Amino acid sequence: MNFDTVIRGGTVVTAELSQDVDVGITNGQVVALGAGLPPGQREIDARGRLVLPGGIDSHCHIEQVSSFGILCADDFHSATVSAAFGGTTTVIPFCAQHRSDHIPEVLADYHRRAAEKAVIDYGFHLIVANPDEQTLATDLPAAIDTGIRSFKIFMTYDRMRLHDEQILDVLATARRHGALTMVHAENHGIISWLAGRMVGQGNVAPRYHAVCHTRSSEAEAFNRVIALAEVVDTPILIVHVSTIEGVSAIRAARERGVKVFAETCPQYLFLTAKDIDRGLEGAMFCCSPPPRDEAAQQACWQGLLDGTLSLYSSDHAPYRFDASGKLPKGEKTTFKEMANGVPGLELRLPLLYSYGVGSGRISINQFVQLTATRHAQIYGLGPAKGTIAVGADADIAIWDPKHRVTVDSALLHDNAGYTPYAGRELEGWPMLVMSRGEVLIDQVAAPGQINAARGRGRFLARERSDALQPAGRQIPEIAQLAAWNTPLSI
Ligand code: DUC
Ligand code: ZN
Ligand code: ZN
């Protein structure tokens, strides 16, 4: 067989194993794995390198308008270029409905913008802010039919949050039509009541943001949404887990058989609330929920290790440190007015590699699971994405495990203009990045260059994944209905 490309002599890593084999690629797909493959038209020397599946970032905000009306700093071009430089070859950002928006128009708008600009493949989640009759009966099922198989809902933010009955409506719709509901779970009352007090007393600096988003607000909302999901018996995915209490609530629910998935993000492993406590500059580290303390970091690491947390995503939400983003009122901006979010698409994998694999906390196979394979499994992108296997897309990042980088925002390709990780010394870096067999980035042959036409990225219609299967576990009151022969239509 004559291959288009052979990646030769590297260590190919999947979620299960690491093997010293060559990778044969033809027509954008992996077609052979084995030692001593015959030559390809293009030969890539991967000796001494790790050959990893390209990362999948299933939580990132791209060209999205926040509920405060602030457009994030990256469009589909800059964000996907930045992702690729960081070894990520698939993203799943959000199409965001605001309350007065008609969902088909929202979807058409995001599709158009992404199709023009994305350089890597992408799917979409749909943020649901107004689950009215039209949304539940027509618009969500129609979105699912087009391969948008996940919704995000909010339990906080004045203009986004859903109350419990609305959450149950969305969960029931997700169950009926085969979608996964992602939840931003924080107790709105605690946050907004404390924020009102803080601002009223003139405490408006960024550090008060971290005070208002209490650990208990995460714990309360996690337990509540888990209870709601148990009523409907449908899987949920809790995003951006940040606290000891949150990890414990998920662990306890999973132990009693509830199907709850969860993710954490770089900001909860590598930042703390101390980063926010530096005057106005602290705004650069403000996200919701906020980074906590070292003990919470340890809990998140432990959650990743024991499977309580299935995913590691960036929650890239880039805003510039100026009037367009973090500081709409300049130096007078209060913590309530700052755009919420931190950039992280490009550094997500290098940070986890250095602090996780490099330090021996996780294996390289766990790294692949957390950054790629599980995202494909949970969000229905497999078997084409998230692994290196015969028949999969040749979305591959070749890493030099010894390449050292001192992080500096000038090295990065997003539009945030800063990075919360400036000055960190990282070891291990993606040197060559390939999407569907095309080499987009080769840091040895063409350092800092990307060879990718705008719009080459393709929309990925996602399949119904096994993760969507209900646990088949009813709460006692609903089980009782069956014993009485009283059907309940969910
Ligand atoms: N939630 C997110 O998921 N990202 C940024 C801000 C937020 O509240
Ligand atoms: Zn969120
Ligand atoms: Zn987010």
Side-chain angles (χ1 to χ4, degrees):
M1 184 188 267
N2 208 346
F3 303 108
D4 293 346
T5 305
V6 173
I7 301 173
R8 198 174 292 286
T11 301
V12 174
V13 184
T14 64
E16 290 84 34
L17 74 167
S18 308
Q19 290 174 284
D20 292 336
V21 288
D22 306 329
V23 185
I25 296 166
T26 293
N27 294 331
Q29 289 190 328
V30 176
V31 292
L33 288 167
L37 290 184
Q41 285 168 34
R42 175 173 192 165
E43 290 273 319
I44 296 174
D45 181 2
R47 282 173 300 170
R49 305 259 159 121
L50 297 169
V51 181
L52 308 186
I56 300 176
D57 197 335
S58 59
H59 185 164
C60 47
H61 302 268
I62 302 179
E63 219 172 309
Q64 185 188 321
V65 178
S66 77
S67 63
F68 291 74
I70 304 176
L71 178 65
C72 62
D74 279 311
D75 68 8
F76 282 95
H77 188 254
S78 59
T80 54
V81 167
S82 176
F85 272 103
T88 288
T89 50
T90 301
V91 287
I92 316 181
F94 298 87
C95 301
Q97 180 199 33
H98 297 283
R99 284 205 180 130
S100 56
D101 291 346
H102 184 43
I103 286 176
E105 285 160 22
V106 172
L107 297 180
D109 182 36
Y110 278 88
H111 270 295
R112 180 183 51 73
R113 289 183 282 139
E116 283 167 5
K117 297 175 215 162
V119 303
I120 57 173
D121 294 348
Y122 57 93
F124 282 125
H125 312 289
L126 173 59
I127 290 178
V128 181
N130 179 17
D132 61 10
E133 192 48 40
Q134 160 84 20
T135 298
L136 295 168
T138 308
D139 295 344
L140 296 186
I144 292 168
D145 281 347
T146 68
I148 298 180
R149 285 206 172 262
S150 38
F151 314 136
K152 184 179 178 195
I153 58 172
F154 290 79
M155 298 172 81
T156 185
Y157 293 126
D158 288 319
R159 299 190 195 93
M160 301 301 278
R161 73 193 173 108
L162 306 188
H163 57 67
D164 291 355
E165 288 92 332
Q166 291 175 310
I167 295 174
L168 286 163
D169 278 340
V170 172
L171 293 175
T173 303
R175 178 186 162 113
R176 201 170 308 128
H177 297 278
L180 183 61
T181 306
M182 307 157 77
V183 190
H184 179 129
E186 291 185 282
N187 177 294
H188 182 72
I190 294 174
I191 297 167
S192 82
W193 189 86
L194 281 174
R197 287 290 185 286
M198 288 294 154
V199 172
Q201 291 165 20
N203 297 319
V204 297
R207 67 174 173 179
Y208 297 106
H209 170 80
V211 172
C212 298
H213 290 251
T214 63
R215 291 156 56 161
S216 60
S217 82
E218 186 165 294
E220 186 283 327
F222 282 23
N223 282 312
R224 181 154 44 96
V225 73
I226 288 166
L228 299 178
E230 285 185 87
V231 170
V232 179
D233 182 22
T234 196
I236 55 170
L237 191 145
I238 298 182
V239 292
H240 45 52
V241 176
S242 68
T243 60
I244 299 173
E245 293 80 359
V247 174
S248 302
I250 293 161
R251 186 176 291 120
R254 288 173 68 94
E255 279 169 3
R256 65 175 192 275
V258 185
K259 215 159 165 189
V260 46
F261 300 99
E263 73 169 17
T264 194
C265 314
Q267 47 272 38
Y268 309 116
L269 298 177
F270 309 121
L271 301 177
T272 68
K274 285 192 197 128
D275 291 301
I276 303 181
D277 189 7
R278 51 170 90 177
L280 202 58
E281 283 192 6
M284 289 192 269
F285 301 82
C286 273
C287 49
S288 292
R292 312 282 178 176
D293 58 15
E294 283 80 7
Q297 291 180 339
Q298 293 314 315
C300 290
W301 277 108
Q302 184 53 38
L304 291 174
L305 280 171
D306 67 23
T308 304
L309 307 179
S310 305
L311 301 177
Y312 167 76
S313 316
S314 71
D315 196 2
H316 179 76
Y319 297 100
R320 297 185 70 82
F321 188 62
D322 63 23
S324 71
K326 289 286 182 185
L327 306 176
K329 296 191 179 157
E331 292 191 359
K332 296 214 167 65
T333 306
T334 70
F335 70 87
K336 281 190 76 176
E337 296 156 333
M338 300 168 324
N340 247 306
V342 291
L345 252 180
E346 192 162 344
L347 290 176
R348 176 181 71 120
L349 302 191
L351 285 164
L352 190 70
Y353 188 88
S354 260
Y355 291 108
V357 182
S359 72
R361 269 180 193 271
I362 61 172
S363 71
I364 187 65
N365 309 95
Q366 285 169 315
F367 176 87
V368 168
Q369 263 172 34
L370 291 169
T371 59
T373 313
R374 288 224 190 101
H375 300 254
Q377 290 166 344
I378 291 176
Y379 287 113
L381 287 169
K385 302 292 190 190
T387 193
I388 299 179
V390 171
D393 286 356
D395 286 5
I396 292 173
I398 302 181
W399 285 62
D400 179 350
K402 295 283 167 230
H403 188 82
R404 297 175 71 94
V405 169
T406 304
V407 173
D408 181 334
S409 71
L411 290 175
L412 304 177
H413 300 82
D414 63 36
N415 277 335
Y418 76 93
T419 167
Y421 309 102
R424 308 262 181 152
E425 304 278 345
L426 303 182
E427 186 170 293
W429 201 260
M431 303 302 287
L432 185 143
V433 178
M434 179 184 277
S435 161
R436 283 182 272 105
E438 292 174 23
V439 175
L440 308 186
I441 294 161
D442 183 341
Q443 295 283 26
V444 176
Q449 304 293 308
I450 183 157
N451 181 19
R454 289 167 83 90
R456 73 166 288 288
R458 291 184 189 154
F459 170 67
L460 301 167
R462 290 180 286 122
E463 302 289 335
R464 186 184 187 119
S465 77
D466 288 347
L468 297 176
Q469 207 45 38
R473 184 188 161 279
Q474 288 177 327
I475 58 171
E477 293 82 352
I478 290 177
Q480 175 69 60
L481 286 176
W484 290 339
N485 210 11
T486 307
L488 170 70
S489 162
I490 289 178

